[in-house]
Amino acid sequence: MMMIEQPGMYDVICNCHSKKAFDHIGNRRYRVIVENHSLSYDKAKSKLDKGIIVTSILETIHNAGGNFIRKPNNKLATSSSSTYWEILSLAQAKEKIGHALRGVIDSQIKKLSSGKNPSGRNIYDIIIGSRGVVNIQMKSKIEYI
């Protein structure tokens, strides 16, 4: 298990639900990257395709010099390591990424299925008939363009 003294700018802080961790630049950047890949992940047909997307996100974080880190479990931490951060294994990091992608997709589905888009406005289909009659219906399912 590798340890570091303090989080770097592009590290993703895990298992810490503080405002400081949420606002950390690495975590903010990570959330944007995950959102940008969520549609591809949702459309991916196979586990292999989803794995490629997860690996791509992990490489993006690593290429910027970041790691997935967390404070060590208190039961395992010694007094000398309590000020250090543990770097997650690749498997643990990939698990975190997959969970984040599924969370974003679930959140997007809930927003759309409630009839509201992220701005809070209703989502409608506008249907123009052959005689120019306009029929407006509330969308009932998610459609990707």
Side-chain angles (χ1 to χ4, degrees), residues 13-24:
I13 301 171
C14 303
N15 300 357
C16 183
H17 303 285
S18 70
K19 180 167 174 34
K20 188 174 181 180
F22 183 83
D23 289 340
H24 180 69

Side-chain angles (χ1 to χ4, degrees), residues 24-128:
H24 180 69
I25 191 166
N27 288 54
R28 291 188 345 224
R29 185 173 178 271
Y30 170 64
R31 288 192 300 273
V32 169
I33 292 167
V34 167
E35 270 196 46
N36 289 342
H37 285 81
S38 64
L39 180 60
S40 316
Y41 187 85
D42 192 34
K43 284 185 168 187
K45 300 209 183 304
S46 70
K47 194 171 182 177
L48 176 64
D49 291 340
K50 290 178 187 278
I52 290 169
I53 294 165
V54 168
T55 301
S56 169
I57 293 171
L58 182 59
E59 287 174 352
T60 301
I61 300 296
H62 283 167
N63 289 342
N67 288 296
F68 287 78
I69 62 172
R70 68 178 172 205
K71 281 287 191 182
N73 185 337
N74 289 338
K75 294 176 184 173
L76 302 175
T78 63
S79 59
S80 63
S81 69
S82 62
T83 60
Y84 288 84
W85 294 80
E86 173 186 355
I87 298 175
L88 274 60
S89 69
L90 293 178
Q92 291 169 320
K94 286 180 178 183
E95 192 175 314
K96 298 276 185 192
I97 294 167
H99 183 74
L101 284 162
R102 290 186 296 278
V104 166
I105 292 165
D106 287 347
S107 173
Q108 290 169 344
I109 289 171
K110 283 179 186 173
K111 284 178 187 171
L112 291 174
S113 65
S114 71
K116 304 272 183 183
N117 67 17
S119 69
R121 296 186 187 100
N122 286 329
I123 300 171
Y124 296 98
D125 276 334
I126 299 174
I127 303 164
I128 301 175

